[in-house]
Amino acid sequence: MLHVINHPLITHKLTIMRNKNTGTKEFRELLYEISMLMSYEITRDLPLEDVVIETPIAPMKAQMISGKKLAVVPILRAGLSMADGFLKIEPAAKVGHIGLYRDHETHQPVLYYCKLPEDISERLAIVTDPMLATGGSASDAINILKKAGCRNIKLMCLVGAPEGVEYVSKNHPDVDIFIAAMDKCLNENKYIVPGLGDAGDRIFGTI
Ligand code: PRP
Ligand code: URA
């Protein structure tokens, strides 16, 4: 299921990111901040359990997040800043890394690295990647997680193209997709239009 997270703070920050005059430092910081805000929505259905505590005034029955195990799985490179934002909200989450790059000619994802927490099959995995273009990278990353036994997966992106959302939804109807904006289309190089350019290059200053 697709969730487009609509919030003025996110929209404002994303507009600054899209601007081609925004530099690397600001771009990276904004992606981190938006990821924190999106994490708030993505974790909305985490189960709570009753606990008994004592305030300075009186004992009370309160609630805390129950022992749900989480993992955040950035798709390298661009997913890293989003994972950092998620970890700020959920610091106890374990981290897996999936290295994928898009071949410049075929636009197909190529796997070059994978390291996942040993108990990933018991965890809710949040896959992070700012750009959901053709959907090939996200879909492959989810396949890898499923092969590792993971059954509870959410995808957190910043900007989506209709093609990518459709591709991931078709391949993985069980995975909830969260984006901050749905853009128009892909161009001939499979870049999102209007998008924000090459996310990895803009985050790491490798343009
Ligand atoms: C970008 C982006 C996604 C992918 C999206 O990574 O961060 O991983 O492209 O495209 P898709 O939906 O068509 O698969 P890129 O391949 O440029 O690698 P990088 O992060 O190492 O720059
Ligand atoms: N990868 C990016 O970084 N940007 C796009 O628009 C598409 C793929």
Side-chain angles (χ1 to χ4, degrees):
M1 181 169 172
L2 175 67
H3 308 258
V4 182
I5 302 178
N6 239 321
H7 191 287
L9 284 173
I10 294 178
T11 304
H12 177 85
K13 289 173 191 289
L14 176 56
T15 299
I16 301 172
M17 290 181 74
R18 288 183 190 274
N19 189 326
K20 66 178 183 184
N21 296 319
T22 298
T24 299
K25 176 176 178 286
E26 198 181 358
F27 187 94
R28 195 169 45 225
E29 287 170 355
L30 288 163
L31 182 55
Y32 175 76
E33 288 167 15
I34 292 177
S35 304
M36 276 198 282
L37 296 170
M38 290 183 75
S39 301
Y40 179 82
E41 197 57 39
I42 287 171
T43 53
R44 180 174 285 284
D45 60 357
L46 286 182
L48 292 169
E49 65 185 7
D50 292 341
V51 292
V52 177
I53 57 160
E54 277 190 44
T55 77
I57 309 297
M60 76 171 284
K61 199 164 88 182
Q63 289 193 312
M64 294 183 81
I65 292 172
S66 67
K68 186 84 185 170
K69 290 173 156 187
L70 294 174
V72 61
V73 183
I75 299 179
L76 308 181
R77 297 174 293 166
L80 285 169
S81 299
M82 292 194 90
D84 286 344
F86 184 83
L87 286 167
K88 185 72 184 168
I89 303 298
E90 271 297 336
K94 291 272 166 52
V95 185
H97 294 87
I98 296 180
L100 288 166
Y101 72 87
R102 277 200 330 180
D103 181 277
H104 280 294
E105 272 164 24
T106 65
H107 308 298
Q108 294 302 307
V110 180
L111 179 71
Y112 62 89
Y113 186 77
C114 182
K115 186 83 180 172
L116 301 173
E118 216 173 10
D119 60 353
I120 190 75
S121 61
E122 296 160 31
R123 292 178 180 268
L124 161 62
I126 315 287
V127 178
T128 63
D129 192 332
M131 308 311 280
L132 184 59
T134 67
S137 304
S139 186
D140 279 11
I142 294 167
N143 277 331
I144 290 167
L145 286 169
K146 286 184 173 174
K147 272 196 196 128
C150 208
R151 289 288 161 264
N152 200 356
I153 302 169
K154 295 185 184 192
L155 175 63
M156 170 171 157
C157 300
L158 183 63
V159 180
E163 294 90 329
V165 169
E166 195 186 323
Y167 187 73
V168 175
S169 305
K170 196 179 79 199
N171 289 344
H172 303 290
D174 54 313
V175 172
D176 279 331
I177 304 171
F178 295 81
I179 57 175
M182 175 77 102
D183 275 13
K184 244 189 249 139
C185 58
L186 299 177
N187 68 12
E188 62 283 6
N189 295 318
K190 307 290 183 199
Y191 273 80
I192 300 176
V193 182
L196 46 73
D198 188 304
D201 282 346
R202 294 199 67 190
I203 294 167
F204 297 109
T206 47
I207 304 169

